[in-house]
Amino acid sequence: MAEQTAPADIADTGDDPHRPDAPGDSGASGNSGGSVGPDGSEPAKSDAAVVRDALGVGVAVGLSGFAFGVTSAGSGLTVLQTCVLSLMVFTGASQFALVGALAAGGNPFTAAAGAFFLGVRNAFYGLRLSQLLALPRAVRPFAAQWVIDETTAVALAQPTRRAARIGFTVTGLTLYLLWNLTTLLGALGAEAIGDTDAWGLDAAGPAVFLALLAPMLRTTTERAVAAFAVLLGLGLLPVLPAGVPVLVAALAAPVVLYAEGRRARGNGAMSTGRKGTQGDSRDDADARNDSRSAPQADIHNDAYNDTDNDAPREDR
């Protein structure tokens, strides 16, 4: 599951709703009815609106669990193994990476390593959400199971802590239930079909993965990383064991970012050089203008002095 949305813009009023002391910290019902925000310029988001948005994300992404169930069963996992994987791991990108490597004949440890590295990002989400949600310590271990792309995106998009908690909870609950239900249905369907390759269902996993990834490639740098990763993965596929090319393809990100940094520094140096050259040219032009204007100033001064000298004679 790789859908992400940008956090909503918040008016700069000095009260950051994502701080522990922000309005709406407690479970008060101040946001239950679309009241005006603290700066008086933007209505606060109602609980119903938060629930509606969270349900939309949860239902839309949760249905893709069917594709995972089909892919997992087609890779050789049993229905029980497929369902346990969704129940315990519950992070779609890592699950698809794991069963995809296994389906290609990869080593289970290599496949697990690739899935692990994809799931590391959730730990960083947890650091941010722990401050935003400020849940009781007893609840945090259970909430950690729902820290994924979608719940993080919905929570961060809310204007207050109360709304963030509602968004996180509704998204997590909806997505967890639907993802596991559709995983079971997909695995049972694949088992009933038999040979999923004959139906072309072995391509369901990669297709869903690409569909989730494509909307995230918004900048040129992100598209360059994705393209380079594809080249590395496909190029190394014939010479490395299954699952290893996926790990090597992760090197595309630091390589592209390093090249982008060098290009930016080079452009900065060229821009500085051009500014320096333009500055020197302006200084030379100013100097020439001063040299041309100096004689003219002397002529005007001489004419003025001659006029002053003649004036007394005329009076006399």
Side-chain angles (χ1 to χ4, degrees), residues 9-19 21-25 30-31 34-45 158-161:
D9 294 335
I10 300 169
D12 185 10
T13 61
D15 292 329
D16 183 357
H18 290 168
R19 292 200 329 252
D21 58 344
D25 273 357
N31 291 340
S35 58
V36 177
D39 61 348
S41 61
E42 183 180 356
K45 199 170 186 179
Q158 307 310 319
T160 63
R161 174 168 292 163

PDB file of all heavy atoms in Angstrom, residues 9-19 21-25 30-31 34-45 158-161:
ATOM      1  N   ASP A   9      -2.586  22.222   4.349  1.00  0.00           N
ATOM      2  CA  ASP A   9      -1.983  23.486   4.772  1.00  0.00           C
ATOM      3  C   ASP A   9      -2.712  24.008   5.988  1.00  0.00           C
ATOM      4  O   ASP A   9      -3.925  23.952   6.097  1.00  0.00           O
ATOM      5  CB  ASP A   9      -2.084  24.523   3.642  1.00  0.00           C
ATOM      6  CG  ASP A   9      -1.235  24.100   2.457  1.00  0.00           C
ATOM      7  OD1 ASP A   9      -0.269  23.351   2.700  1.00  0.00           O
ATOM      8  OD2 ASP A   9      -1.538  24.512   1.340  1.00  0.00           O
ATOM      9  N   ILE A  10      -1.953  24.587   6.903  1.00  0.00           N
ATOM     10  CA  ILE A  10      -2.506  25.088   8.147  1.00  0.00           C
ATOM     11  C   ILE A  10      -2.155  26.566   8.262  1.00  0.00           C
ATOM     12  O   ILE A  10      -1.007  26.954   8.032  1.00  0.00           O
ATOM     13  CB  ILE A  10      -1.923  24.334   9.353  1.00  0.00           C
ATOM     14  CG1 ILE A  10      -2.271  22.854   9.209  1.00  0.00           C
ATOM     15  CG2 ILE A  10      -2.468  24.875  10.654  1.00  0.00           C
ATOM     16  CD1 ILE A  10      -1.524  21.992  10.177  1.00  0.00           C
ATOM     17  N   ALA A  11      -3.131  27.372   8.567  1.00  0.00           N
ATOM     18  CA  ALA A  11      -2.880  28.803   8.694  1.00  0.00           C
ATOM     19  C   ALA A  11      -1.890  29.058   9.813  1.00  0.00           C
ATOM     20  O   ALA A  11      -1.922  28.421  10.851  1.00  0.00           O
ATOM     21  CB  ALA A  11      -4.190  29.538   8.974  1.00  0.00           C
ATOM     22  N   ASP A  12      -0.991  30.020   9.599  1.00  0.00           N
ATOM     23  CA  ASP A  12       0.047  30.328  10.574  1.00  0.00           C
ATOM     24  C   ASP A  12      -0.521  31.263  11.624  1.00  0.00           C
ATOM     25  O   ASP A  12      -0.434  32.483  11.526  1.00  0.00           O
ATOM     26  CB  ASP A  12       1.237  30.983   9.848  1.00  0.00           C
ATOM     27  CG  ASP A  12       2.400  31.205  10.805  1.00  0.00           C
ATOM     28  OD1 ASP A  12       2.327  30.688  11.935  1.00  0.00           O
ATOM     29  OD2 ASP A  12       3.361  31.882  10.408  1.00  0.00           O
ATOM     30  N   THR A  13      -1.102  30.672  12.635  1.00  0.00           N
ATOM     31  CA  THR A  13      -1.717  31.467  13.684  1.00  0.00           C
ATOM     32  C   THR A  13      -0.977  31.366  14.990  1.00  0.00           C
ATOM     33  O   THR A  13      -1.403  31.899  16.000  1.00  0.00           O
ATOM     34  CB  THR A  13      -3.158  30.990  13.933  1.00  0.00           C
ATOM     35  OG1 THR A  13      -3.121  29.610  14.355  1.00  0.00           O
ATOM     36  CG2 THR A  13      -3.997  31.078  12.661  1.00  0.00           C
ATOM     37  N   GLY A  14       0.154  30.632  14.990  1.00  0.00           N
ATOM     38  CA  GLY A  14       0.893  30.444  16.224  1.00  0.00           C
ATOM     39  C   GLY A  14       0.441  29.229  16.983  1.00  0.00           C
ATOM     40  O   GLY A  14       1.079  28.826  17.937  1.00  0.00           O
ATOM     41  N   ASP A  15      -0.694  28.602  16.578  1.00  0.00           N
ATOM     42  CA  ASP A  15      -1.187  27.401  17.242  1.00  0.00           C
ATOM     43  C   ASP A  15      -1.121  26.253  16.255  1.00  0.00           C
ATOM     44  O   ASP A  15      -2.003  26.090  15.411  1.00  0.00           O
ATOM     45  CB  ASP A  15      -2.641  27.584  17.704  1.00  0.00           C
ATOM     46  CG  ASP A  15      -2.739  28.591  18.826  1.00  0.00           C
ATOM     47  OD1 ASP A  15      -1.775  28.687  19.597  1.00  0.00           O
ATOM     48  OD2 ASP A  15      -3.776  29.269  18.911  1.00  0.00           O
ATOM     49  N   ASP A  16      -0.053  25.481  16.293  1.00  0.00           N
ATOM     50  CA  ASP A  16       0.090  24.334  15.406  1.00  0.00           C
ATOM     51  C   ASP A  16      -0.741  23.198  15.957  1.00  0.00           C
ATOM     52  O   ASP A  16      -0.460  22.687  17.024  1.00  0.00           O
ATOM     53  CB  ASP A  16       1.570  23.929  15.342  1.00  0.00           C
ATOM     54  CG  ASP A  16       1.802  22.788  14.373  1.00  0.00           C
ATOM     55  OD1 ASP A  16       0.805  22.298  13.804  1.00  0.00           O
ATOM     56  OD2 ASP A  16       2.961  22.383  14.209  1.00  0.00           O
ATOM     57  N   PRO A  17      -1.787  22.766  15.249  1.00  0.00           N
ATOM     58  CA  PRO A  17      -2.641  21.705  15.770  1.00  0.00           C
ATOM     59  C   PRO A  17      -1.930  20.381  15.885  1.00  0.00           C
ATOM     60  O   PRO A  17      -2.457  19.462  16.484  1.00  0.00           O
ATOM     61  CB  PRO A  17      -3.769  21.629  14.732  1.00  0.00           C
ATOM     62  CG  PRO A  17      -3.205  22.221  13.502  1.00  0.00           C
ATOM     63  CD  PRO A  17      -2.236  23.260  13.949  1.00  0.00           C
ATOM     64  N   HIS A  18      -0.733  20.241  15.316  1.00  0.00           N
ATOM     65  CA  HIS A  18       0.012  19.007  15.427  1.00  0.00           C
ATOM     66  C   HIS A  18       0.996  19.046  16.588  1.00  0.00           C
ATOM     67  O   HIS A  18       1.819  18.168  16.729  1.00  0.00           O
ATOM     68  CB  HIS A  18       0.765  18.722  14.119  1.00  0.00           C
ATOM     69  CG  HIS A  18      -0.168  18.348  13.007  1.00  0.00           C
ATOM     70  ND1 HIS A  18       0.221  18.271  11.697  1.00  0.00           N
ATOM     71  CD2 HIS A  18      -1.489  18.035  13.024  1.00  0.00           C
ATOM     72  CE1 HIS A  18      -0.808  17.927  10.951  1.00  0.00           C
ATOM     73  NE2 HIS A  18      -1.849  17.787  11.731  1.00  0.00           N
ATOM     74  N   ARG A  19       0.938  20.090  17.417  1.00  0.00           N
ATOM     75  CA  ARG A  19       1.743  20.135  18.625  1.00  0.00           C
ATOM     76  C   ARG A  19       0.936  19.561  19.767  1.00  0.00           C
ATOM     77  O   ARG A  19      -0.285  19.548  19.750  1.00  0.00           O
ATOM     78  CB  ARG A  19       2.118  21.589  18.961  1.00  0.00           C
ATOM     79  CG  ARG A  19       3.066  22.227  17.977  1.00  0.00           C
ATOM     80  CD  ARG A  19       3.743  23.419  18.647  1.00  0.00           C
ATOM     81  NE  ARG A  19       2.902  24.056  19.623  1.00  0.00           N
ATOM     82  CZ  ARG A  19       2.341  25.242  19.460  1.00  0.00           C
ATOM     83  NH1 ARG A  19       2.497  25.898  18.345  1.00  0.00           N
ATOM     84  NH2 ARG A  19       1.608  25.786  20.410  1.00  0.00           N
ATOM     85  N   ASP A  21       0.236  20.819  22.549  1.00  0.00           N
ATOM     86  CA  ASP A  21      -0.626  21.785  23.224  1.00  0.00           C
ATOM     87  C   ASP A  21      -1.622  22.421  22.265  1.00  0.00           C
ATOM     88  O   ASP A  21      -2.178  23.468  22.529  1.00  0.00           O
ATOM     89  CB  ASP A  21       0.225  22.895  23.870  1.00  0.00           C
ATOM     90  CG  ASP A  21       1.089  23.625  22.846  1.00  0.00           C
ATOM     91  OD1 ASP A  21       1.264  23.084  21.735  1.00  0.00           O
ATOM     92  OD2 ASP A  21       1.589  24.706  23.177  1.00  0.00           O
ATOM     93  N   ALA A  22      -1.835  21.776  21.101  1.00  0.00           N
ATOM     94  CA  ALA A  22      -2.698  22.373  20.089  1.00  0.00           C
ATOM     95  C   ALA A  22      -4.158  22.251  20.480  1.00  0.00           C
ATOM     96  O   ALA A  22      -4.535  21.412  21.278  1.00  0.00           O
ATOM     97  CB  ALA A  22      -2.467  21.673  18.742  1.00  0.00           C
ATOM     98  N   PRO A  23      -5.012  23.112  19.899  1.00  0.00           N
ATOM     99  CA  PRO A  23      -6.449  22.997  20.151  1.00  0.00           C
ATOM    100  C   PRO A  23      -6.955  21.638  19.708  1.00  0.00           C
ATOM    101  O   PRO A  23      -6.532  21.104  18.694  1.00  0.00           O
ATOM    102  CB  PRO A  23      -7.046  24.103  19.270  1.00  0.00           C
ATOM    103  CG  PRO A  23      -5.939  25.049  19.018  1.00  0.00           C
ATOM    104  CD  PRO A  23      -4.692  24.242  19.021  1.00  0.00           C
ATOM    105  N   GLY A  24      -7.873  21.079  20.441  1.00  0.00           N
ATOM    106  CA  GLY A  24      -8.435  19.793  20.085  1.00  0.00           C
ATOM    107  C   GLY A  24      -7.649  18.634  20.630  1.00  0.00           C
ATOM    108  O   GLY A  24      -7.814  17.507  20.174  1.00  0.00           O
ATOM    109  N   ASP A  25      -6.708  18.861  21.594  1.00  0.00           N
ATOM    110  CA  ASP A  25      -5.915  17.775  22.151  1.00  0.00           C
ATOM    111  C   ASP A  25      -6.802  16.740  22.816  1.00  0.00           C
ATOM    112  O   ASP A  25      -6.673  15.556  22.610  1.00  0.00           O
ATOM    113  CB  ASP A  25      -4.951  18.323  23.222  1.00  0.00           C
ATOM    114  CG  ASP A  25      -3.657  18.787  22.596  1.00  0.00           C
ATOM    115  OD1 ASP A  25      -3.542  18.623  21.384  1.00  0.00           O
ATOM    116  OD2 ASP A  25      -2.799  19.293  23.329  1.00  0.00           O
ATOM    117  N   GLY A  30     -15.306  19.728  20.380  1.00  0.00           N
ATOM    118  CA  GLY A  30     -15.288  21.056  19.759  1.00  0.00           C
ATOM    119  C   GLY A  30     -15.317  20.993  18.255  1.00  0.00           C
ATOM    120  O   GLY A  30     -15.670  21.957  17.608  1.00  0.00           O
ATOM    121  N   ASN A  31     -14.932  19.865  17.650  1.00  0.00           N
ATOM    122  CA  ASN A  31     -14.874  19.793  16.204  1.00  0.00           C
ATOM    123  C   ASN A  31     -16.002  18.972  15.630  1.00  0.00           C
ATOM    124  O   ASN A  31     -15.982  18.599  14.471  1.00  0.00           O
ATOM    125  CB  ASN A  31     -13.532  19.171  15.767  1.00  0.00           C
ATOM    126  CG  ASN A  31     -12.380  20.084  16.046  1.00  0.00           C
ATOM    127  OD1 ASN A  31     -12.583  21.271  16.217  1.00  0.00           O
ATOM    128  ND2 ASN A  31     -11.185  19.539  16.110  1.00  0.00           N
ATOM    129  N   GLY A  34     -18.382  21.408  12.627  1.00  0.00           N
ATOM    130  CA  GLY A  34     -17.979  22.351  11.606  1.00  0.00           C
ATOM    131  C   GLY A  34     -17.858  23.763  12.114  1.00  0.00           C
ATOM    132  O   GLY A  34     -18.261  24.703  11.445  1.00  0.00           O
ATOM    133  N   SER A  35     -17.353  23.983  13.317  1.00  0.00           N
ATOM    134  CA  SER A  35     -17.183  25.324  13.864  1.00  0.00           C
ATOM    135  C   SER A  35     -16.030  26.027  13.191  1.00  0.00           C
ATOM    136  O   SER A  35     -15.258  25.426  12.462  1.00  0.00           O
ATOM    137  CB  SER A  35     -16.928  25.228  15.376  1.00  0.00           C
ATOM    138  OG  SER A  35     -15.791  24.446  15.622  1.00  0.00           O
ATOM    139  N   VAL A  36     -15.901  27.341  13.439  1.00  0.00           N
ATOM    140  CA  VAL A  36     -14.864  28.140  12.833  1.00  0.00           C
ATOM    141  C   VAL A  36     -13.544  27.868  13.532  1.00  0.00           C
ATOM    142  O   VAL A  36     -13.486  27.689  14.742  1.00  0.00           O
ATOM    143  CB  VAL A  36     -15.222  29.636  12.911  1.00  0.00           C
ATOM    144  CG1 VAL A  36     -14.104  30.482  12.340  1.00  0.00           C
ATOM    145  CG2 VAL A  36     -16.520  29.884  12.156  1.00  0.00           C
ATOM    146  N   GLY A  37     -12.445  27.825  12.746  1.00  0.00           N
ATOM    147  CA  GLY A  37     -11.122  27.553  13.290  1.00  0.00           C
ATOM    148  C   GLY A  37     -10.654  28.657  14.202  1.00  0.00           C
ATOM    149  O   GLY A  37     -11.272  29.721  14.316  1.00  0.00           O
ATOM    150  N   PRO A  38      -9.498  28.454  14.864  1.00  0.00           N
ATOM    151  CA  PRO A  38      -9.010  29.405  15.845  1.00  0.00           C
ATOM    152  C   PRO A  38      -8.683  30.770  15.261  1.00  0.00           C
ATOM    153  O   PRO A  38      -8.717  31.768  15.962  1.00  0.00           O
ATOM    154  CB  PRO A  38      -7.754  28.719  16.408  1.00  0.00           C
ATOM    155  CG  PRO A  38      -7.380  27.689  15.401  1.00  0.00           C
ATOM    156  CD  PRO A  38      -8.646  27.258  14.759  1.00  0.00           C
ATOM    157  N   ASP A  39      -8.344  30.837  13.963  1.00  0.00           N
ATOM    158  CA  ASP A  39      -8.038  32.138  13.365  1.00  0.00           C
ATOM    159  C   ASP A  39      -9.266  32.788  12.756  1.00  0.00           C
ATOM    160  O   ASP A  39      -9.184  33.877  12.200  1.00  0.00           O
ATOM    161  CB  ASP A  39      -6.946  31.992  12.297  1.00  0.00           C
ATOM    162  CG  ASP A  39      -7.378  31.074  11.173  1.00  0.00           C
ATOM    163  OD1 ASP A  39      -8.411  30.392  11.342  1.00  0.00           O
ATOM    164  OD2 ASP A  39      -6.694  31.059  10.143  1.00  0.00           O
ATOM    165  N   GLY A  40     -10.419  32.110  12.813  1.00  0.00           N
ATOM    166  CA  GLY A  40     -11.651  32.678  12.294  1.00  0.00           C
ATOM    167  C   GLY A  40     -11.754  32.687  10.787  1.00  0.00           C
ATOM    168  O   GLY A  40     -12.682  33.245  10.228  1.00  0.00           O
ATOM    169  N   SER A  41     -10.798  32.044  10.074  1.00  0.00           N
ATOM    170  CA  SER A  41     -10.784  32.119   8.624  1.00  0.00           C
ATOM    171  C   SER A  41     -11.197  30.820   7.950  1.00  0.00           C
ATOM    172  O   SER A  41     -11.581  30.837   6.796  1.00  0.00           O
ATOM    173  CB  SER A  41      -9.382  32.501   8.135  1.00  0.00           C
ATOM    174  OG  SER A  41      -8.441  31.521   8.538  1.00  0.00           O
ATOM    175  N   GLU A  42     -11.099  29.697   8.636  1.00  0.00           N
ATOM    176  CA  GLU A  42     -11.371  28.414   8.006  1.00  0.00           C
ATOM    177  C   GLU A  42     -12.188  27.548   8.944  1.00  0.00           C
ATOM    178  O   GLU A  42     -11.819  27.370  10.096  1.00  0.00           O
ATOM    179  CB  GLU A  42     -10.060  27.705   7.658  1.00  0.00           C
ATOM    180  CG  GLU A  42     -10.259  26.385   6.939  1.00  0.00           C
ATOM    181  CD  GLU A  42      -8.929  25.726   6.617  1.00  0.00           C
ATOM    182  OE1 GLU A  42      -7.894  26.339   6.879  1.00  0.00           O
ATOM    183  OE2 GLU A  42      -8.954  24.588   6.126  1.00  0.00           O
ATOM    184  N   PRO A  43     -13.309  26.986   8.470  1.00  0.00           N
ATOM    185  CA  PRO A  43     -14.116  26.139   9.343  1.00  0.00           C
ATOM    186  C   PRO A  43     -13.350  24.900   9.756  1.00  0.00           C
ATOM    187  O   PRO A  43     -12.623  24.316   8.964  1.00  0.00           O
ATOM    188  CB  PRO A  43     -15.324  25.776   8.457  1.00  0.00           C
ATOM    189  CG  PRO A  43     -15.305  26.745   7.332  1.00  0.00           C
ATOM    190  CD  PRO A  43     -13.890  27.153   7.147  1.00  0.00           C
ATOM    191  N   ALA A  44     -13.512  24.510  11.013  1.00  0.00           N
ATOM    192  CA  ALA A  44     -12.891  23.283  11.489  1.00  0.00           C
ATOM    193  C   ALA A  44     -13.562  22.096  10.826  1.00  0.00           C
ATOM    194  O   ALA A  44     -14.748  22.132  10.499  1.00  0.00           O
ATOM    195  CB  ALA A  44     -13.006  23.196  13.005  1.00  0.00           C
ATOM    196  N   LYS A  45     -12.821  21.017  10.619  1.00  0.00           N
ATOM    197  CA  LYS A  45     -13.341  19.846   9.935  1.00  0.00           C
ATOM    198  C   LYS A  45     -14.217  19.047  10.888  1.00  0.00           C
ATOM    199  O   LYS A  45     -13.808  18.716  11.999  1.00  0.00           O
ATOM    200  CB  LYS A  45     -12.178  18.997   9.433  1.00  0.00           C
ATOM    201  CG  LYS A  45     -12.550  18.014   8.343  1.00  0.00           C
ATOM    202  CD  LYS A  45     -11.299  17.402   7.747  1.00  0.00           C
ATOM    203  CE  LYS A  45     -11.620  16.530   6.554  1.00  0.00           C
ATOM    204  NZ  LYS A  45     -10.390  15.966   5.965  1.00  0.00           N
ATOM    205  N   GLN A 158      -5.177  16.015   8.910  1.00  0.00           N
ATOM    206  CA  GLN A 158      -6.230  16.571   9.754  1.00  0.00           C
ATOM    207  C   GLN A 158      -5.746  17.828  10.484  1.00  0.00           C
ATOM    208  O   GLN A 158      -4.571  17.944  10.813  1.00  0.00           O
ATOM    209  CB  GLN A 158      -6.712  15.529  10.773  1.00  0.00           C
ATOM    210  CG  GLN A 158      -7.132  14.212  10.147  1.00  0.00           C
ATOM    211  CD  GLN A 158      -8.102  14.386   8.990  1.00  0.00           C
ATOM    212  OE1 GLN A 158      -9.018  15.210   9.044  1.00  0.00           O
ATOM    213  NE2 GLN A 158      -7.892  13.612   7.924  1.00  0.00           N
ATOM    214  N   PRO A 159      -6.663  18.763  10.760  1.00  0.00           N
ATOM    215  CA  PRO A 159      -6.265  20.040  11.373  1.00  0.00           C
ATOM    216  C   PRO A 159      -6.072  19.977  12.882  1.00  0.00           C
ATOM    217  O   PRO A 159      -5.444  20.871  13.446  1.00  0.00           O
ATOM    218  CB  PRO A 159      -7.434  20.972  11.013  1.00  0.00           C
ATOM    219  CG  PRO A 159      -8.615  20.051  10.887  1.00  0.00           C
ATOM    220  CD  PRO A 159      -8.083  18.762  10.343  1.00  0.00           C
ATOM    221  N   THR A 160      -6.625  18.983  13.561  1.00  0.00           N
ATOM    222  CA  THR A 160      -6.508  18.917  15.018  1.00  0.00           C
ATOM    223  C   THR A 160      -6.153  17.494  15.435  1.00  0.00           C
ATOM    224  O   THR A 160      -6.276  16.545  14.652  1.00  0.00           O
ATOM    225  CB  THR A 160      -7.834  19.307  15.713  1.00  0.00           C
ATOM    226  OG1 THR A 160      -8.848  18.362  15.351  1.00  0.00           O
ATOM    227  CG2 THR A 160      -8.268  20.718  15.317  1.00  0.00           C
ATOM    228  N   ARG A 161      -5.719  17.367  16.681  1.00  0.00           N
ATOM    229  CA  ARG A 161      -5.354  16.048  17.204  1.00  0.00           C
ATOM    230  C   ARG A 161      -6.573  15.130  17.268  1.00  0.00           C
ATOM    231  O   ARG A 161      -6.473  13.943  16.977  1.00  0.00           O
ATOM    232  CB  ARG A 161      -4.715  16.178  18.585  1.00  0.00           C
ATOM    233  CG  ARG A 161      -4.445  14.826  19.258  1.00  0.00           C
ATOM    234  CD  ARG A 161      -3.557  14.981  20.460  1.00  0.00           C
ATOM    235  NE  ARG A 161      -2.223  15.367  20.036  1.00  0.00           N
ATOM    236  CZ  ARG A 161      -1.302  15.890  20.855  1.00  0.00           C
ATOM    237  NH1 ARG A 161      -1.614  16.114  22.115  1.00  0.00           N
ATOM    238  NH2 ARG A 161      -0.115  16.198  20.398  1.00  0.00           N
TER     239      ARG A 161
END
